[in-house]
Amino acid sequence: MNWLAIWVTFKLACLTAGVLLVVGLPIAYWLTFSKWRWKFIVESVVALPLVLPPTVLGFYILVAIGPHSPVGRFYSDVVGHPLPFTFEGLLLASILYSLPFAVQPFAAAFGQVDRRLIETSWTLGVSKPKTFFRLIVPLSTAGLITGAVLSFAHTLGEFGVVLMVGGNLPGITRTVSIDIYDHVQSMEYSEANRMALALLMISFAVLSLVYGVNRKIGRRVWASWATR
């Protein structure tokens, strides 16, 4: 077992899910409640990683953060080294690649909250930020958990974007999926099977646990609001 690759993978997945939980909430809120007529353009951009081949997305991210791009030059001037083929560059690519897996469940959960409750809160003089954190978020807990877990699980199995942006640097950007690929290329099927089986079991266990807890939380939240 390549424990170093497992550590890099879990660190990447945890950081990606954490960042998307912060970044995805305002995006999902805007997509849910905005009445802008061209909102579908933003929705299409957010959902683009779902249909775009990972290698294509990885290539354009690599170009966007490369040393000849404004972003790449700014990062290199501030930090002192280029952004591609680093863990930071890989994290950025993972956030963009997993964005729809967080934003879409968040937006779906926000959309299921009764608008009458939200409008009543506004009518009573409660500000929109307070209404969001005191009303919308508690009623959307199940969807928020689903989005965070889906982005975490999706990052665990990344391959194309990881290879294009991060490369294969042991201890830095070499993830489990890259390690499995290397073993297969070297005809080391038993080693590849151990890593693949471990990733399969971990992903299944995480999803099963979270969906079970998610169902209980959803029932409790709605039951508490129903008794008020």
Side-chain angles (χ1 to χ4, degrees):
M1 297 293 290
N2 189 342
W3 294 106
L4 191 57
I6 294 176
W7 161 246
V8 172
T9 303
F10 268 84
K11 182 173 69 170
L12 179 65
C14 289
L15 290 175
T16 300
V19 172
L20 286 176
L21 186 61
V22 176
V23 175
L25 287 179
I27 297 176
Y29 180 86
W30 184 85
L31 291 176
T32 304
F33 298 103
S34 174
K35 297 182 180 179
W36 186 44
R37 61 180 300 182
W38 302 104
K39 183 176 66 174
F40 68 90
I41 298 177
V42 180
E43 292 175 327
S44 300
V45 172
V46 171
L48 196 59
L50 293 175
V51 297
L52 200 62
T55 51
V56 174
L57 180 62
F59 170 73
Y60 283 115
I61 293 176
L62 183 62
V63 172
I65 66 175
H68 300 294
S69 68
V71 175
R73 287 197 300 268
F74 175 78
Y75 183 87
S76 181
D77 293 339
V78 173
V79 180
H81 61 80
L83 189 55
F85 306 110
T86 62
F87 182 82
E88 292 78 9
L90 181 57
L91 177 61
L92 176 61
S94 298
I95 292 170
L96 295 175
Y97 186 43
S98 298
L99 183 64
F101 291 87
V103 172
Q104 290 189 350
F106 293 169
F110 293 161
Q112 292 178 356
V113 178
D114 193 339
R115 284 296 185 97
R116 293 173 296 181
L117 295 176
I118 300 175
E119 293 173 357
T120 300
S121 177
W122 293 343
T123 303
L124 294 175
V126 182
S127 64
K128 289 186 177 182
K130 288 184 178 180
T131 300
F132 175 74
F133 288 106
R134 295 181 180 180
L135 176 66
I136 299 177
V137 169
L139 293 178
S140 307
T141 303
L144 300 185
I145 294 177
T146 299
V149 172
L150 285 179
S151 59
F152 175 86
H154 181 250
T155 306
L156 289 179
E158 287 183 17
F159 177 75
V161 172
V162 173
L163 190 61
M164 292 293 292
V165 179
N168 186 7
L169 303 176
I172 301 176
T173 62
R174 184 172 187 171
T175 61
V176 172
S177 59
I178 300 297
D179 188 68
I180 294 173
Y181 176 78
D182 284 346
H183 284 309
V184 172
Q185 289 291 99
S186 302
M187 306 293 287
E188 299 170 347
Y189 294 125
S190 59
E191 290 81 358
N193 180 59
R194 280 198 294 269
M195 295 294 291
L197 184 60
L199 187 59
L200 174 64
M201 294 176 62
I202 292 171
S203 301
F204 180 77
V206 169
L207 290 175
S208 299
L209 177 62
V210 172
Y211 278 123
V213 174
N214 199 2
R215 180 174 299 180
K216 292 182 179 179
I217 291 177
R219 290 175 179 175
R220 291 177 181 176
V221 170
W222 283 105
S224 63
W225 276 95
T227 56
R228 290 186 179 183

